Amino acid sequence: MRKKNIFYTFGVLLLLLLTGCREESFENGSESLPKNSQINAKTTSGIYESDYPYNLNVVYFIPSDVTARPEYQRRVSEFMLAAQEYYRQNMYNWGYGNRTFGLLKDIPTNRVKINVVYGSKPVASYRYTAGSDILAEVNAWFAAHPADKTSDHTIIFTATPSLSTEIPFYGLGRNCFVGDNEGNDYQYFNQNNAQGNQAKAYMGGFLHELGHGIGLPHDALPKSQQNLPGYGTSLMSWGNQTYGYSSTILTKSAAAILNNCQLFSTTAKPAGYFYNQNHDFQVALTDFKVENGQIKVWGNYTVGSPANTINIYFIPKGAYYHAVSGVATNTGNNSFYAGINISDLYFTDKDYELVVQAQFVDGGVAYEIYDISFKNGIPQPQLSLSRRLWAVSTSSQYPTFPASLAIDGDINTYWHSNYTAGSVQTSPIAGQPQNFPYFFDIDTNQVAPVSGVWFVQHQQLVRTAKSFAIWTRNNTTEGWKLRYASNLSNTTEKQYIPFDVTENARFIRIRFDNSYDGQPYVAIPEIGTFLN
């Protein structure tokens, strides 16, 4: 049954992360398909066939001291075919066509193609952290059997002598690792007994790690959807625990990623097409508001190759399974809007990362990260802007405390002016002694709206800055425009310095005039900009 659309456009009370538009959003180069789309490609490999040109590589990895588990072909096939149907249903429900990931299978026997790889070491050598070791052996096997590799994505089942044997069980790049033992058997999935519970637990974890292997990050549905019919829990949050017991689905943003995944493509592309195009992605946020119980953000973007969706993630720091996600609303001319009810976030005692992620039609992704601070359960009106493109310089820096340490995201590292005896300052006051004033220059590498600058002082309150001034300009031919001049507070807390008005700026110059401890030096752990 097609899912009911509960997402609303701007201004409606239950404003969430996305609107009701389906394929019509971000259709510059979109490969979204209508519900009645037909698969027009076919692949054969011996007795196995598929309706898709790209198919998931299924590997059965057998450590040197383990035998293939009884009936593994049936068990692996049944789990894989159930997974294929699960992903198909979710893609259909979100409006991306009757599509799923490609999988080679023998139609008469209903068995999938399994590539058996014999490990060179005993199972004790393939513990949880040994995924890269297994992958190296699998890749070597495919190098010797190139015709058997049918896509860039691989799932690896490791044969284990018992359910408790420690093995890799996670996603790694475009690969994922799970286990196989006769104690995990899909034929018992619908039974309300110990075997059925074991099958459900395994299936939930298996589907979750498969999601990572085909490109899905952790994400969650908004809190208000947890108890809505047809919604429930996101598979890529803690859905690995709820699958088989309560409604467990993919989010719309997960479906948007899979829409461009190689395995979901219905047509063959030129060699090297997938994941290899220009993924340059630059975002300029134009407005940010916290009002009426909602967080709202607007922005413009440019891309290096066609992208058809902008995903939005509100990620509580240290709690990534609770990252509420959605698809931004296309407002035209490479611009977007996204908003969420604060009540739909899972925490209000944590700071958040706002991630704006472009989905490219070749399956690639790129993103920018912004910071939202919470205080006393309320999101603060200043959105810390991304520093990914920044280049910084200063008129004075000690060699082991360079300017770059002021934008590394760590309040325990810092830029420190040079205190080497006999040294002098550089541009813009070259030759001056190592004494105030000191200049700190920022090239953000994009002209975008800026509402102010924020600072974090030294956490031991030594060499803390006092008097300062800030100038901005859009290019190097303009003169500097004074935006603020005053004193910083002598505190370890983050300080927001607002400009009179929000204006476009690319270059920012900060002059530090003196320090609280009276010494002729300054040390600053973090400098950033914000939008409000």
Side-chain angles (χ1 to χ4, degrees):
M1 179 177 180
R2 183 170 180 163
K3 290 200 177 297
K4 179 178 67 174
N5 172 29
I6 69 163
F7 297 102
Y8 301 90
T9 54
F10 172 74
V12 179
L13 180 62
L14 293 179
L15 180 67
L16 300 174
L17 279 170
L18 49 126
T19 65
C21 51
R22 299 281 189 182
E23 295 83 1
E24 62 271 20
S25 289
F26 293 98
E27 284 245 323
N28 48 333
S30 173
E31 296 189 7
S32 297
L33 298 175
K35 293 248 182 212
N36 61 357
S37 61
Q38 298 296 312
I39 307 298
N40 57 9
K42 191 165 186 174
T43 303
T44 59
S45 177
I47 63 173
Y48 302 97
E49 61 183 66
S50 168
D51 289 330
Y52 290 81
Y54 305 98
N55 296 278
L56 181 64
N57 305 306
V58 180
V59 170
Y60 195 76
F61 185 79
I62 307 175
S64 61
D65 60 345
V66 177
T67 58
R69 309 318 298 166
E71 295 190 88
Y72 78 87
Q73 296 98 330
R74 174 186 62 79
R75 281 195 314 280
V76 169
S77 294
E78 290 176 352
F79 279 117
M80 288 306 311
L81 293 173
Q84 190 181 44
E85 176 59 17
Y86 172 84
Y87 279 90
R88 184 200 67 78
Q89 290 177 351
N90 277 270
M91 292 294 285
Y92 181 86
N93 289 345
W94 282 119
Y96 286 102
N98 196 28
R99 300 158 59 204
T100 186
F101 58 87
L103 194 60
L104 286 163
K105 61 184 176 182
D106 177 26
I107 302 300
T109 64
N110 215 28
R111 296 290 181 263
V112 304
K113 184 178 186 294
I114 302 173
N115 302 289
V116 178
V117 178
Y118 291 94
S120 63
K121 304 172 185 176
V123 69
S125 297
Y126 300 114
R127 297 193 181 276
Y128 183 80
T129 58
S132 57
D133 296 334
I134 293 177
L135 186 59
E137 295 191 47
V138 169
N139 286 340
W141 187 90
F142 277 125
H145 304 81
D148 290 302
K149 188 170 186 179
T150 55
S151 74
D152 293 329
H153 297 268
T154 300
I155 182 169
I156 301 170
F157 292 81
T158 300
T160 64
S162 71
L163 291 175
S164 61
T165 303
E166 180 185 342
I167 56 164
F169 206 104
Y170 47 79
L172 182 64
R174 299 188 185 106
N175 313 280
C176 66
F177 303 88
V178 295
D180 175 64
N181 180 270
E182 54 271 28
N184 293 319
D185 199 323
Y186 188 76
Q187 67 177 335
Y188 303 120
F189 183 84
N190 291 317
Q191 296 184 10
N192 294 319
N193 54 29
Q195 288 176 307
N197 292 338
Q198 181 62 40
K200 292 180 181 68
Y202 175 82
M203 187 67 177
F206 156 69
L207 287 173
H208 181 103
E209 302 311 335
L210 174 59
H212 287 316
I214 56 180
L216 302 184
H218 290 134
D219 72 345
L221 291 159
K223 279 180 68 176
S224 62
Q225 292 185 356
Q226 285 189 299
N227 298 316
L228 284 178
Y231 292 85
T233 303
S234 165
L235 174 71
M236 300 310 294
S237 59
W238 53 96
N240 53 344
Q241 302 173 34
T242 62
Y243 184 84
Y245 297 99
S246 61
S247 179
T248 304
I249 69 170
L250 297 178
T251 63
K252 175 68 179 288
S253 56
I257 293 172
L258 297 180
N259 179 49
N260 298 328
C261 175
Q262 180 190 50
L263 292 175
F264 287 71
S265 177
T266 60
T267 57
K269 303 294 183 181
Y273 170 83
F274 284 99
Y275 314 121
N276 285 318
Q277 308 306 307
N278 182 349
H279 298 150
D280 181 62
F281 178 51
Q282 295 192 25
V283 181
L285 296 186
T286 56
D287 203 359
F288 176 77
K289 295 184 183 298
V290 178
E291 60 183 13
N292 301 322
Q294 299 165 349
I295 299 173
K296 308 170 185 177
V297 62
W298 292 259
N300 302 320
Y301 67 95
T302 60
V303 288
S305 63
N308 54 13
T309 309
I310 301 295
N311 280 355
I312 303 292
Y313 300 86
F314 291 89
I315 306 177
K317 293 187 177 181
Y320 301 108
Y321 281 81
H322 296 79
V324 180
S325 71
V327 175
T329 301
N330 179 5
T331 56
N333 299 319
N334 279 16
S335 61
F336 65 89
Y337 162 78
I340 188 172
N341 284 338
I342 297 170
S343 61
D344 273 324
L345 300 174
Y346 289 88
F347 302 98
T348 56
D349 60 348
K350 296 178 182 290
D351 293 340
Y352 277 71
E353 290 180 339
L354 169 65
V355 176
V356 180
Q357 184 186 73
Q359 313 303 318
F360 292 88
V361 298
D362 74 326
V365 300
Y367 56 86
E368 287 286 7
I369 300 176
Y370 308 88
D371 290 322
I372 303 174
S373 297
F374 274 68
K375 188 174 183 178
N376 299 323
I378 300 172
Q380 299 304 287
Q382 302 92 358
L383 178 72
S384 295
L385 299 175
S386 172
R387 297 178 288 181
R388 181 179 64 89
L389 299 176
W390 282 22
V392 294
S393 61
T394 179
S395 63
S396 175
Q397 62 181 11
Y398 194 74
T400 54
F401 302 107
S404 58
L405 293 181
I407 61 169
D408 67 351
D410 186 350
I411 62 173
N412 295 309
T413 65
Y414 47 86
W415 156 64
H416 198 299
S417 57
N418 199 342
Y419 49 87
T420 303
S423 65
V424 295
Q425 296 196 56
T426 58
S427 179
I429 51 173
Q432 296 298 306
Q434 298 292 353
N435 204 332
F436 292 103
Y438 295 109
F439 287 83
F440 191 99
D441 285 342
I442 302 167
D443 179 359
T444 68
N445 275 299
Q446 61 176 173
V447 177
V450 178
S451 301
V453 177
W454 58 264
F455 298 86
V456 176
Q457 297 267 40
H458 196 290
Q459 295 301 285
Q460 276 71 52
L461 295 181
V462 296
R463 308 296 186 265
T464 50
K466 187 177 181 181
S467 300
F468 73 102
I470 305 172
W471 293 263
T472 65
R473 63 182 181 182
N474 289 332
N475 57 64
T476 56
T477 62
E478 291 181 353
W480 289 101
K481 179 179 180 180
L482 180 64
R483 305 300 301 276
Y484 197 93
S486 188
N487 292 339
L488 286 171
S489 298
N490 196 29
T491 176
T492 58
E493 293 185 359
K494 192 174 187 178
Q495 302 179 57
Y496 294 96
I497 308 301
F499 299 154
D500 289 340
V501 294
T502 298
E503 289 184 349
N504 283 345
R506 171 176 171 175
F507 298 95
I508 301 169
R509 170 166 286 178
I510 305 167
R511 187 189 70 206
F512 296 98
D513 294 322
N514 51 45
S515 63
Y516 273 96
D517 63 10
Q519 296 297 311
Y521 309 111
V522 67
I524 301 290
E526 290 295 313
I527 299 173
T529 56
F530 64 89
L531 182 69
N532 66 4

